Amino acid sequence: MTKTLVIAEKPSVAQDIVRALTPVAGKFEKHEDHFENDRYVVTSAVGHLVEIQAPEQFDVKRGKWSFAHLPVIPPFFDLKPVDKTKSRLNAVVKQAKRKDVTDLINACDAGREGELIFRLIEQYAGGSKPLGKPVKRLWLQSMTPQAIRDGFDALRTEQQMAGLASAARSRSEADWLVGINGTRAMTAFNSRDGGFFLTTVGRVQTPTLSLVVEREEKIRKFVSRDYWEIHATFGAQAGEYAAKWFDPKWKKGEDVEARADRVWSAAEAQSIANAVRGKQATVTEESKPTTQASPLLFDLTSLQREANGKFGFSAKTTLALAQSLYERHKALTYPRTDSRALPEDYLPVAKQTFEMLADSGMRHLAPHALTALNNNYVRPSKRIFDNSKVSDHFAIIPTLQAPSGLSEAEQKLYDLVVRRFMAVFFPSAEYTVTTRISTVAPHSFKTEGKVLVKPGWLAIYGKEAADEVEGGKDGDKGQNLVPVKPGEMVNTLQVDPKGLKTKPPARYSEATLLGAMESAGKQIDDDELREAMQEKGLGTPATRAAIIEGLLTEKYMLREGREIIPTAKAFQLMTLLRGLEVEELCRADLTGEWEYKLSQMEKGQLSREAFMAEIAAMTERMVKKAKEYDRDTIPGDYATLESPCPNCGGVVKENYRRFACAGKPGAEPCGFSFGKSPAGRTFETAEANALLRDKKIGPLEGFRSKAGWPFTSEIVIKYDDEAHNYKLEFDFGDDKKGEESGEIVEFEDASLGACPICGSEVHEHGSNYVCSKAVPTAAQPTPSCTFKSGKIILQQPVEREQMTKLLETGKTDLLDKFVSMRTRRNFKAHLAWDKEAGKVNFEFAPSKFPPRPGAAAKTIAAKAKATSATAKKAPAKKAATKTAAAKAPRKAAAGKAPSTALAAVIGAEPVARPEAVKKMWEYIKAHNLQDPKDKRTIVADDKLRAVFGKDSAGMFELAGILGNHLGGE
């Protein structure tokens, strides 16, 4: 009997598909890497399992950072497995190659990346020739069981997906070509004078960075100007009201900072105030009704912007939360969408969603849903239901499934989506806007009043939104106005010029940067207009968060609060690209054009060949410009340092590669200079100033050795007797020489706490924290203690506060910047005093997850191996102790007898706790006792109730509960 293989993007989606198909296709049997019944085999990737690479004959192994081997433009691409998921790939390929599997269904996420993930797996499975099995596409907008079944009833054909597949491959190959060639070319250029300065560029990440750098340049160059506003208070018969002077004849000109209500001299402002003070004014006013419609439904970018503005969530966090609400809780529709409308046949679903919300028990949302249903607000509207504005996915809205067990952050995001969904169906908010002009000839003063008449959709958001209505925060707007009778003259009670300063443009936050990426840098505030520009944006809604995170990881940008600030490394890259005239990588709008062409390709309106030819031409030009650049420096806007040259006291100026002495006025430079990017880390201007001033700085992170290893170090400027000048050196804080020489140490800093070995004071000394009795001091020339702990451990700086905490409590907070020497991966740990070992050691936080079946045995074996290795390295005395311990009876290995209640579940044989947990999970799975709404909760049957002592327990409680039932543990 033939079968259909269904490949999902993630294991959780594969499980959802199995659950949805079971009622209509029969029960599935679970295997290690797939599910199977008579009709289907269901398996999954875990994201990208395969990536593209240059074919062997075109790949450069040695000297790849040299111009000699650039550009690399292979005529086709080979595939290679992603190392960490190779076993998963083999499992999926094994199913695809089965003789009884005759056709495939691509059930990866509905979008460009999902299409690429599947296509590359399919190509890899076929090897040198195509797999040759027909493919259909499952296109899911929602993860509810019914939506999945509906998707299987409406599978898309290979032909329908051809455009999306071409765009997916083209995007991947274009990013490879620009990223590989651009990064190698710019790295080669920056490393020409020696060293290795990795300079990463990308088709989308670099134009995004240029937006941030250009904004920072405007801020730095901004010169604030003084201006004045004239504020007055008028008295009418009914009371007082405020007003502000303005020029009714003012028209917008070339001065971008000019406004109708600004004057540019204190004398003019004072003159106006003196001219009207104490006089009577005539009043004219105009009142008119106005409305404000709710914002459109969310797409991913607008949701990320709103969540960043309201809650401070990063784009990455918002995407992860939305993905969890979609995949795990089935509470939201597909989040990686660029559409803000719904299909025209979705009106019945929208009504059902309102019914679910009205009946959900969510007290803060249900009353509004009920209002909408009772007043028949859920009606057809082209603003909401429009097929022409729905691309691959529709807007993000709640599903028909009311969620439970949400985290606080998930609940916040869910509420945000639900309120926006309800708001678009509610009537517009209605206001009365009154504009009052008070005239003391020839001067005019304006007062605007805005009164909310009918809240409409604002009722969903409450008072907070009503206060935030357009103009409601401007001081002279939004107030209730006291009435003025027709023809009534009012008195100028008070008039004051108010001195102010113009402000530079604001730095980007993630919310505003996402908006700039969406419109390729064009400042567009209008929702509808921005939507029209979306196809020409930088990246896609699904990739923008990753692009921002990548720039932060590469240290091109920093987060400070909610602001995003470019680093010196970013300015240096932009200076290089501008100097080389590689404008394609600098201009957001040009890259936005390429994104637009990819969207055209998805629709079958542009050939893949034409797009890739354009990318190849751009790549060749970029490499040629870098390779042939023959001037000594790159032109740019460079800084002059405040600190003088340490050698001659002259002025130190920046150029593209170095900070160099320019000499004293009228004198020649002395030759002092130092590189801007030692070991691949670029100095900020403030850091370079501090280095010259103090002759040392650090420890600083982010350096890389020639072999590519990251390291942390102090940097010092020392006088070189041979060169008769100062030079820059790394200082790794090796204190041993001083200690061995017996040189007396004097501590100048306050004590951090008591030494855990001898109780003496602990101080900073060089690159370590040491006991005052561990080094020669005037009080004790011969050291008698051994306590010493590094100020940087595996690249994790250990601040004074953390060492103080360790000395007081026994351990630090959980620190998250350790980097393993073996794997080069980051890890988190506490630093803790290990009394037995007599030194500071790592202490790892307990795992949040129960061990996988079979993991316990592996862990025990690994621990035994580690213990053995440690014993080999330990001194003979310790080894002897361990040998004695090994000869003792091995009681623990035999396990402990379970209680009567536990024996009824896992059997009566003695068992170790990890094995007991494993058996318990086997019982839970076999009897299907996980809560379907929250898999972390175990619902007890009669046997488990006796063990738990309650009706349910969380998965993280199991080990503790079982410990109470094992032989007096």
Side-chain angles (χ1 to χ4, degrees), residues 611-654:
F611 177 80
M612 291 311 301
E614 191 175 341
I615 292 291
M618 176 227 171
T619 302
E620 287 175 340
R621 180 178 173 277
M622 175 175 57
V623 171
K624 188 169 185 279
K625 286 276 189 181
K627 190 185 287 190
E628 295 178 357
Y629 192 85
D630 57 358
R631 279 167 278 172
D632 290 338
T633 187
I634 298 281
D637 185 13
Y638 295 117
T640 298
L641 298 187
E642 295 168 6
S643 302
C645 169
N647 195 47
C648 72
V651 175
V652 177
K653 292 188 174 183
E654 176 191 12

Side-chain angles (χ1 to χ4, degrees), residues 241-243 446-451 471-472 475-481:
Y241 63 92
K446 184 189 285 186
T447 308
E448 287 188 352
K450 193 172 187 180
V451 178
D476 60 333
K477 296 182 181 180
Q479 67 247 8
N480 287 308
L481 293 180

Side-chain angles (χ1 to χ4, degrees), residues 5-152:
L5 174 64
V6 181
I7 301 178
E9 190 166 320
K10 302 176 197 70
S12 60
V13 178
Q15 290 172 344
D16 291 335
I17 289 170
V18 166
R19 274 193 287 271
L21 290 182
T22 297
V24 293
K27 189 176 179 184
F28 282 80
E29 189 177 334
K30 187 180 186 310
H31 298 267
E32 189 175 352
D33 292 304
H34 68 282
F35 301 86
E36 188 168 352
N37 70 4
D38 293 339
R39 286 174 58 188
Y40 295 105
V41 179
V42 181
T43 188
S44 76
V46 279
H48 281 277
L49 301 183
V50 185
E51 56 192 3
I52 61 173
Q53 67 174 359
E56 187 71 29
Q57 61 268 40
F58 299 100
D59 196 17
V60 178
K61 294 287 192 296
R62 292 183 177 275
K64 66 181 181 181
W65 302 106
S66 161
F67 280 124
H69 302 295
L70 295 176
V72 182
I73 303 178
F76 62 92
F77 284 91
D78 274 351
L79 302 179
K80 68 170 181 177
V82 175
D83 288 337
K84 64 181 180 182
T85 53
K86 202 168 183 178
S87 59
R88 189 76 190 188
L89 174 64
N90 292 337
V92 175
V93 168
K94 182 181 175 184
Q95 301 305 317
K97 286 184 167 180
R98 279 172 45 170
K99 292 267 193 325
D100 60 339
V101 168
T102 55
D103 55 334
L104 311 179
I105 291 177
N106 174 4
C108 293
D109 287 358
R112 200 192 282 168
E113 282 311 292
E115 197 66 26
L116 184 65
I117 287 168
F118 175 85
R119 298 277 176 160
L120 295 184
I121 293 171
E122 182 199 15
Q123 182 185 335
Y124 183 84
S128 57
K129 58 181 182 179
L131 194 59
K133 298 183 180 182
V135 175
K136 292 279 182 72
R137 183 62 153 107
L138 176 66
W139 197 260
L140 296 178
Q141 307 280 16
S142 170
M143 289 301 296
T144 60
Q146 189 55 52
I148 293 171
R149 288 191 284 271
D150 291 343
F152 271 88

Side-chain angles (χ1 to χ4, degrees), residues 492-774:
T492 310
L493 301 178
Q494 190 177 345
V495 59
D496 297 302
K498 187 176 180 183
L500 299 164
K501 288 182 178 291
T502 56
K503 293 179 181 177
R507 285 195 175 106
Y508 281 113
S509 65
E510 280 204 48
T512 54
L513 181 55
L514 285 165
M517 291 173 75
E518 189 176 45
S519 56
K522 293 180 173 57
Q523 299 304 306
I524 300 170
D525 294 321
D526 182 79
D527 275 348
E528 270 90 347
L529 190 54
R530 190 189 294 110
E531 190 180 11
M533 270 297 297
Q534 270 185 158
E535 287 189 330
K536 296 193 177 187
L538 284 173
T540 65
T543 60
R544 284 175 193 139
I547 290 161
I548 292 172
E549 290 298 325
L551 288 167
L552 291 163
T553 301
E554 287 293 336
K555 300 292 188 290
Y556 280 123
M557 309 188 309
L558 302 170
R559 274 194 195 103
E560 281 192 13
R562 294 194 184 183
E563 290 185 330
I564 289 179
I565 301 171
T567 62
K569 183 180 177 183
F571 279 95
Q572 192 172 8
L573 175 60
M574 287 303 129
T575 298
L576 174 60
L577 296 176
R578 290 166 186 167
L580 297 178
E581 297 176 347
V582 187
E583 61 179 8
E584 294 94 331
L585 275 178
C586 295
R587 281 180 52 191
D589 56 341
L590 283 179
T591 306
E593 286 289 336
W594 289 326
E595 207 67 51
Y596 174 64
K597 286 172 181 174
L598 286 170
S599 70
Q600 283 185 307
M601 200 185 300
E602 288 180 17
K603 298 166 189 169
Q605 296 166 358
L606 178 72
S607 76
R608 171 163 147 70
E609 291 72 25
F611 177 80
M612 291 311 301
E614 191 175 341
I615 292 291
M618 176 227 171
T619 302
E620 287 175 340
R621 180 178 173 277
M622 175 175 57
V623 171
K624 188 169 185 279
K625 286 276 189 181
K627 190 185 287 190
E628 295 178 357
Y629 192 85
D630 57 358
R631 279 167 278 172
D632 290 338
T633 187
I634 298 281
D637 185 13
Y638 295 117
T640 298
L641 298 187
E642 295 168 6
S643 302
C645 169
N647 195 47
C648 72
V651 175
V652 177
K653 292 188 174 183
E654 176 191 12
N655 60 41
Y656 179 67
R657 297 185 188 279
R658 307 184 73 77
F659 290 101
C661 175
K664 288 182 176 179
E668 288 294 311
C670 71
F672 168 75
S673 73
F674 62 94
K676 281 166 63 176
S677 305
R681 183 198 185 279
T682 305
F683 283 118
E684 299 291 335
T685 305
E687 290 175 339
N689 267 317
L691 177 60
L692 289 186
R693 185 185 66 237
D694 304 330
K695 305 288 192 298
K696 72 171 185 176
I697 189 170
L700 301 176
E701 299 175 64
F703 298 107
R704 282 185 180 272
S705 69
K706 288 182 180 178
W709 283 85
F711 68 90
T712 302
S713 176
E714 288 190 352
I715 291 206
V716 297
I717 290 179
K718 288 185 176 177
Y719 191 76
D720 185 333
D721 291 324
E722 286 184 22
H724 303 296
N725 212 325
Y726 282 83
K727 69 175 185 178
L728 180 147
E729 290 183 0
F730 289 103
D731 183 354
F732 297 99
D734 187 359
D735 314 317
K736 286 184 181 175
K737 289 178 186 174
E739 290 168 24
E740 288 165 3
S741 69
E743 187 179 329
I744 297 298
V745 175
E746 291 183 22
F747 297 112
E748 296 177 359
D749 65 311
S751 168
L752 289 101
C755 170
I757 297 176
C758 71
S760 301
E761 292 182 346
V762 172
H763 292 270
E764 280 188 58
H765 176 51
S767 63
N768 292 300
Y769 298 109
V770 299
C771 173
S772 58
K773 291 188 177 178

Side-chain angles (χ1 to χ4, degrees), residues 443-459:
H443 300 293
S444 302
F445 291 79
K446 184 189 285 186
T447 308
E448 287 188 352
K450 193 172 187 180
V451 178
L452 185 61
V453 178
K454 289 184 182 176
W457 64 273
L458 286 173

Side-chain angles (χ1 to χ4, degrees), residues 311-365:
F311 311 126
F313 293 167
S314 70
K316 179 184 176 184
T317 298
T318 298
L319 176 56
L321 292 169
Q323 199 72 24
S324 173
L325 287 163
Y326 161 69
E327 271 181 32
R328 187 162 152 245
H329 297 286
K330 316 292 182 289
L332 292 185
T333 56
Y334 185 78
R336 295 167 185 259
T337 175
D338 61 358
S339 174
R340 303 188 70 175
L342 298 175
E344 288 164 17
D345 61 358
Y346 226 69
L347 182 64
V349 180
K351 280 185 178 169
Q352 288 174 295
T353 309
F354 269 92
E355 287 163 3
M356 178 278 290
L357 292 168
D359 196 38
S360 66
M362 291 183 274
R363 292 178 187 173
H364 57 304
L365 302 173

